[in-house]
Amino acid sequence: MINSYAGLDDVGVAVAAARAGADVVRRLYGRPLSRVDKGAGDFATEADIEAEKAILGVLRTARPDDAVLGEEGGRRGAAAAARQWLVDPLCGTLNYAAGTMLVAVNVALRGGAAAVADPFAGEVFFTDGANAWVRKDGVDTELAPTSATRLVDVNLDAPFPGAPGPRTAKLPARADFAERFGVRVLSTTLALAWVAAGRRAAYVTDGGDLSGSVHFAAGIAVCRAAGCVVTGIDGGPVGAGGRGLVVAADAGTHGALMSMIRG
């Protein structure tokens, strides 16, 4: 069998894998789908599982020596592998199951290339680790974050493991927040890609260390490469010991949000 991915660099593999997952998500949309209960109200659909299989098919063919951490299938590949891909085949499962087309397919090489696909808009946001673009209809456009919309996406999907208190949930109730920003709740990390694209001024979530999360790794990588300000919710670096996430289009927006969160 010919390996059609053999000539791709890592960013090409990330884009191809995200697109493969997005094709499945789009094809199964609106159909009656079986569910797998994960407990605590969380579940996966048949689309989550099949999309991850499609992504794994690309990664296994293109990078057979790499390990994979998938949202649905867990760890695969050699434990000693030098490289690991982080895969969230359908971020926004509840949106999807409710017939809402606000979801993302996330594929990231830890410390390297990453891609976030929007199955329904036909867009792929991606980075080679240094620069970031969005691809639509075969055209690549460099991402340019801006706070012009003044819209902040706030993740209110509790619980937040490792978080000392519901700090993000309090933001929309603050008078100074309402004076400067509008709040949105997308309930998918597609919102991170939208910050990089200038469609959101910022994204805020509580939680623990999200740097190695299959849900957040691709979006964080795209935002960093696009030039966004990326920190934990306490203002420190995202990573070991960090908590939550504040991603802003610019330093002014980030500073205003940090002041409100700390206040």
Side-chain angles (χ1 to χ4, degrees), residues 125 143-150 192-201 228 249:
F125 306 84
L143 292 174
T146 170
S147 59
T149 66
R150 299 196 299 169
L192 277 172
W194 283 10
V195 176
R199 302 172 194 174
R200 293 287 188 269
C228 299

Side-chain angles (χ1 to χ4, degrees), residues 25 45 47-48 51-52 55 71-72 87-93 96-97 103-106 119-120 188 215:
V25 170
T45 70
D48 297 71
E52 185 164 304
I55 293 167
E71 164 71 2
E72 307 308 332
V87 174
D88 183 359
L90 177 48
C91 186
T93 298
Y96 185 80
V103 300
V105 176
N106 297 314
F120 300 105
T188 166
H215 306 291

Side-chain angles (χ1 to χ4, degrees), residues 75-184:
R75 297 181 184 275
R76 295 179 175 90
R83 298 170 15 124
Q84 183 184 56
W85 294 85
L86 306 173
V87 174
D88 183 359
L90 177 48
C91 186
T93 298
L94 185 55
N95 285 350
Y96 185 80
T100 303
M101 296 181 182
L102 291 173
V103 300
V105 176
N106 297 314
V107 178
L109 175 62
R110 191 184 289 271
V116 178
D118 180 338
F120 300 105
E123 295 177 317
V124 182
F125 306 84
F126 64 97
T127 176
D128 58 5
N131 299 289
W133 304 266
V134 59
R135 179 173 297 170
K136 185 176 177 65
D137 298 328
V139 177
D140 293 349
T141 304
E142 191 168 6
L143 292 174
T146 170
S147 59
T149 66
R150 299 196 299 169
L151 297 176
V152 176
D153 215 279
V154 180
N155 181 19
L156 301 179
D157 292 338
F160 305 108
R167 292 166 292 183
T168 55
K170 296 177 181 178
L171 271 178
R174 291 180 60 101
D176 52 352
F177 181 92
E179 288 173 2
R180 179 163 181 167
F181 301 114
V183 67
R184 291 295 183 272

Side-chain angles (χ1 to χ4, degrees), residues 3-5 8 12-21 52-64 107:
N3 183 352
S4 59
Y5 305 111
L8 294 178
V13 172
V15 169
R19 277 182 160 172
E52 185 164 304
K53 288 180 181 178
I55 293 167
L56 286 172
V58 174
L59 296 180
R60 284 171 174 164
T61 303
R63 298 292 187 269
V107 178

Side-chain angles (χ1 to χ4, degrees), residues 205-235:
T205 183
D206 250 308
D209 175 9
L210 302 179
S211 61
S213 166
V214 296
H215 306 291
F216 291 93
I220 289 173
V222 169
C223 286
R224 279 179 169 156
C228 299
V229 181
V230 181
T231 72
I233 201 167
D234 295 319

